Amino acid sequence: MEKSGVPSGTQAVQRAMSVLACFRDGGPTLSASDLARRTRLSTSTAHRLARALVSTGFLEQDARTSRYRLGPSMTELGRLSFHQRGLHRVAPELGQLAHATSATVDLAIRNGPHAVILIGGSVDPDDGTGLRRPLHSTALGKVLLAWAPPGEDDVAALGPLRPQTERTIVDPEELRAEIERVRKAGYALNDGESSHGIRTLAVPVLDRAEQVRYALAVRSTPEVITDTRIGWFAMHARACARALEVLLLPPEERRITDF
């Protein structure tokens, strides 16, 4: 049934996108009933949407099992987006930072209330999937919030701040205060807020308007990223972030460097 005030064409697109989003976890192929359960649509509606996506190449259907997986159109667009963003150029810089710090290095963007790692040590080499984590519980996410464009820094828009560990910030006012501390410090820390025994430091990759385009993180343990070495890790991460600004942003969008 069509929602009041929502054109049927818009609703169909939104539902089709929700079907594609079911494959974000990089898991196995999905049946029509799996899609229906994940999207909370009827099985017939999920099947109809999946068939439409098969016809355009965004999904494929196994002829033997009738299960669905992402199709060649998704592969093509994903590769195009990866190259258009310039992400194919950044591996040497990330590798150098990882070597210098002996830490896992990741580069992420924001997708709604999540930080999505696009390239780095957390990306699974077998299936290409990275990590998708709530903004409020990660250093990457705090950076993406702290230097967000106007209108995208509203903590209230994130919805309930669910705990990942007992150290996760779940109070909106506390998160706002943390974001302000991040801005002043120039980096964010995640100290066991998403996984026990893990400490992550993240810095922004900024454009000329001083707004974040990407977040860069180094991740290890508190025994490696010690309190006394946080400044050292931040220095190396910032140097890499400035290099990434050159690699990922067109000249007219880069920050002006003082000589």
Side-chain angles (χ1 to χ4, degrees):
M1 183 176 180
E2 182 177 317
K3 295 180 180 179
S4 176
V6 180
S8 59
T10 300
Q11 186 182 59
V13 170
Q14 291 172 336
R15 287 179 169 179
M17 293 302 99
S18 72
V19 169
L20 292 176
C22 293
F23 295 87
R24 275 179 171 152
D25 61 7
T29 57
L30 300 174
S31 67
S33 59
D34 292 331
L35 296 174
R37 184 176 61 257
R38 295 189 181 196
T39 58
R40 298 184 180 180
L41 298 171
S42 68
T43 302
S44 60
T45 298
H47 178 73
R48 184 170 66 252
L49 290 168
R51 292 300 303 158
L53 291 166
V54 167
S55 69
T56 55
F58 287 96
L59 290 182
E60 288 181 332
Q61 187 175 30
D62 187 291
R64 183 177 59 84
T65 65
S66 296
R67 296 173 69 85
Y68 298 96
R69 59 177 173 264
L70 293 176
S73 293
M74 290 295 293
T75 304
E76 180 182 7
L77 291 177
R79 294 300 300 174
L80 283 171
S81 176
F82 192 85
H83 279 260
Q84 286 173 356
R85 287 179 175 273
L87 291 165
H88 59 292
R89 306 187 191 105
V90 306
E93 294 291 342
L94 300 187
Q96 184 176 2
L97 179 61
H99 177 74
T101 60
S102 299
T104 299
V105 174
D106 291 313
L107 187 69
I109 59 169
R110 180 176 179 175
N111 187 4
H114 294 94
V116 180
I117 295 174
L118 300 176
I119 185 170
S122 295
V123 176
D124 191 316
D126 294 325
D127 59 19
T129 56
L131 296 176
R132 186 171 178 266
R133 291 290 183 265
L135 294 174
H136 71 282
S137 64
T138 60
L140 288 165
K142 293 175 188 177
V143 161
L144 293 167
L145 286 168
W147 286 274
E152 297 182 19
D153 56 353
D154 184 9
V155 168
L158 299 179
L161 305 179
R162 305 190 186 282
Q164 307 297 308
T165 73
E166 71 282 357
R167 305 192 70 170
T168 306
I169 297 174
V170 295
D171 178 76
E173 287 306 315
E174 187 179 346
L175 181 59
R176 290 187 181 97
E178 173 71 2
I179 290 169
E180 184 59 31
R181 285 193 291 271
V182 169
R183 289 194 194 101
K184 290 179 179 178
Y187 63 85
L189 281 177
N190 167 10
D191 204 354
E193 297 164 50
S194 56
S195 297
H196 291 103
I198 299 297
R199 176 176 275 185
T200 304
L201 181 147
V203 298
V205 177
L206 299 170
D207 61 19
R208 183 167 295 195
E210 298 291 324
Q211 294 173 359
V212 65
R213 295 294 189 90
Y214 301 88
L216 174 69
V218 289
R219 175 170 54 86
S220 189
T221 65
E223 290 74 31
V224 174
I225 306 178
T226 62
D227 292 345
T228 58
R229 299 190 73 204
I230 284 175
W232 183 87
F233 276 92
M235 176 188 68
H236 280 277
R238 287 192 188 107
C240 183
R242 291 306 296 261
L244 296 181
E245 291 172 17
V246 176
L247 292 172
L248 296 174
L249 303 180
E252 66 275 11
E253 296 179 13
R254 297 173 193 160
R255 287 193 290 169
I256 298 173
T257 303
D258 294 327
F259 292 98

